Amino acid sequence: MANKLKNLVLRAIALVDRGANQEARVVLTKRDDAEDAPMRKAEHGSMDECMAAGKTEAECKELMAAMKRAEEEQMPDKLPEDVTKALAEVADLKKRATEAEAAQKAAETRIAKMEDERQREVFIAKAQEFKDLPGANPDDLGPILRKAYGVWTPEEQQKVEAMLRGAVKIAQDSALFQEIGAARPAVGSALDKLNAKANELVQKDGKMTFAQAFAKVCDTDEGKAFYHQHEQEEASKAGARRVR
């Protein structure tokens, strides 16, 4: 049974020498565009052009109004449902893409922060090896080493580490530090006073080693005086041993 199609919108019509549907019958009618006659007669798109063509102002206004009405009639009041749906899908895709991009940036920021903290902990742990150096607090030395290692070559890193280990060995083998750890000095002696000051610093700053605190005390005016007194006491002891 044949179907009758109505209200079709044809975008193009082509004539062919051999049709695919030999039994099809198509009836075409011409649109009644009498209302568009003023637009065709105008042959200009602005008031200035219309007035320049020799028409009166009233005629030009009427023509401009007719052109405007024709344009408004050609604009659909509502987009087709499939077009509206497609536009909504595009908007939704854009929104999700924006959200995904923001989530990715947030994740990258979190990962970078975690990696930064991990690197910090690695170098603080590395700095623990040099904690016996005077003033070498691992929490302070670690970030410094991390920054320096980013510039130094592997060979330079090894050389610096070797030098630091040598300095640590010297500090640990120092006769003064051996005396500090080996036996308690005489009560009231200069060394006893230096030890007391160093212990006070260790109690105030739990991260500071005794050797670091002792070196810091010796760097003060009071500590220098005690240390000078300690040298005099040691010299007296050495002289007494030689007399014997």
Side-chain angles (χ1 to χ4, degrees):
M1 180 177 179
N3 294 323
K4 185 176 182 180
L5 304 178
K6 300 187 299 183
N7 299 326
L8 296 178
V9 177
L10 303 179
R11 301 299 182 190
I13 298 176
L15 300 178
V16 296
D17 57 353
R18 184 178 179 184
N21 187 353
Q22 301 294 335
E23 301 300 325
R25 298 292 183 269
V26 179
V27 178
L28 301 177
T29 59
K30 183 177 181 298
R31 180 178 182 274
D32 182 8
D33 54 358
E35 295 180 357
D36 298 336
M39 290 181 60
R40 294 196 305 274
K41 293 179 181 179
E43 296 181 355
H44 29 253
S46 67
M47 281 290 293
D48 293 338
E49 293 178 359
C50 182
M51 296 289 288
K55 297 185 180 297
T56 65
E57 182 178 356
E59 289 176 333
C60 290
K61 287 183 177 180
E62 182 180 354
L63 290 173
M64 295 299 107
M67 292 173 63
K68 185 176 181 181
R69 286 195 302 271
E71 291 177 357
E72 292 175 351
E73 289 175 358
Q74 292 176 2
M75 294 294 294
D77 296 334
K78 184 178 180 181
L79 292 174
E81 184 178 353
D82 57 341
V83 175
T84 303
K85 184 178 179 181
L87 291 175
E89 291 177 353
V90 170
D92 182 61
L93 288 174
K94 287 183 177 179
K95 180 181 178 182
R96 284 190 286 177
T98 302
E99 292 174 349
E101 184 179 359
Q104 181 180 357
K105 288 182 178 179
E108 290 174 353
T109 301
R110 289 195 300 270
I111 292 173
K113 186 175 181 180
M114 292 171 60
E115 178 62 18
D116 181 75
E117 184 63 24
R118 188 187 71 82
Q119 287 290 327
R120 180 177 177 275
E121 294 297 331
V122 167
F123 278 92
I124 288 177
K126 190 176 189 66
Q128 291 287 344
E129 183 180 357
F130 314 117
K131 65 181 180 179
D132 288 334
L133 288 175
N137 188 320
D139 287 342
D140 296 331
L141 181 59
I144 295 174
L145 289 177
R146 177 186 175 184
K147 185 176 181 179
Y149 276 34
V151 179
W152 294 340
T153 64
E155 292 77 11
E156 291 172 335
Q157 294 174 18
Q158 293 176 1
K159 289 180 180 179
V160 171
E161 288 180 9
M163 288 187 288
L164 289 175
R165 292 190 184 99
V168 170
K169 186 70 168 59
I170 293 173
Q172 291 173 342
D173 293 344
S174 169
L176 177 60
F177 290 148
Q178 286 181 359
E179 182 178 355
I180 292 172
R184 180 176 178 81
V187 177
S189 65
L191 184 57
D192 183 53
K193 294 175 182 178
L194 286 171
N195 287 349
K197 292 290 184 182
N199 284 324
E200 289 178 5
L201 284 181
V202 172
Q203 291 176 359
K204 290 180 180 179
D205 186 352
K207 297 180 180 179
M208 185 179 294
T209 65
F210 181 81
Q212 293 170 344
F214 190 90
K216 191 170 184 179
V217 170
C218 289
D219 197 39
T220 64
D221 292 339
E222 184 181 21
K224 291 177 181 178
F226 284 148
Y227 188 75
H228 180 66
Q229 182 182 347
H230 167 68
E231 289 180 328
Q232 291 178 338
E233 292 174 354
E234 290 299 307
S236 298
K237 291 179 183 178
R241 285 194 293 269
R242 284 196 297 271
V243 171
R244 293 177 186 175

